[in-house]
Amino acid sequence: MQQAIGRPESALVARQERFTGTDTYLVVFAHSGDDTLVDVYVVAADCVASSPGIPGKVLVNQTIARS
């Protein structure tokens, strides 16, 4: 997942989810420069099952208000 996203810092949250019928990971990072926002990524989970690991496909990348 980290290769697909390209962010070196640790995620605030990373959990497995279903998204439009696909196994994915929901990954949330603090938004750089504005702690009222977070950056949300949905990454296809097939990258975790592949050997050797290949970068997953980022399906969604959005910045949203932290709640």
Side-chain angles (χ1 to χ4, degrees), residues 21-37:
T22 303
D23 289 329
T24 64
Y25 283 91
L26 173 68
V27 188
V28 179
F29 291 93
H31 184 76
S32 179
D34 188 344
D35 59 357
T36 66
L37 301 173

Side-chain angles (χ1 to χ4, degrees), residues 7-65:
R7 305 243 337 221
E9 71 270 27
S10 296
L12 299 173
V13 174
R15 68 179 188 206
Q16 208 167 1
E17 294 284 336
R18 296 273 304 161
F19 178 76
T20 63
T22 303
D23 289 329
T24 64
Y25 283 91
L26 173 68
V27 188
V28 179
F29 291 93
H31 184 76
S32 179
D34 188 344
D35 59 357
T36 66
L37 301 173
V38 292
D39 298 325
V40 178
Y41 296 82
V42 177
V43 181
D46 54 357
C47 64
V48 175
S50 66
S51 180
I54 58 170
K57 181 178 180 183
V58 176
L59 305 174
V60 175
N61 175 12
Q62 291 185 341
T63 299
I64 60 173

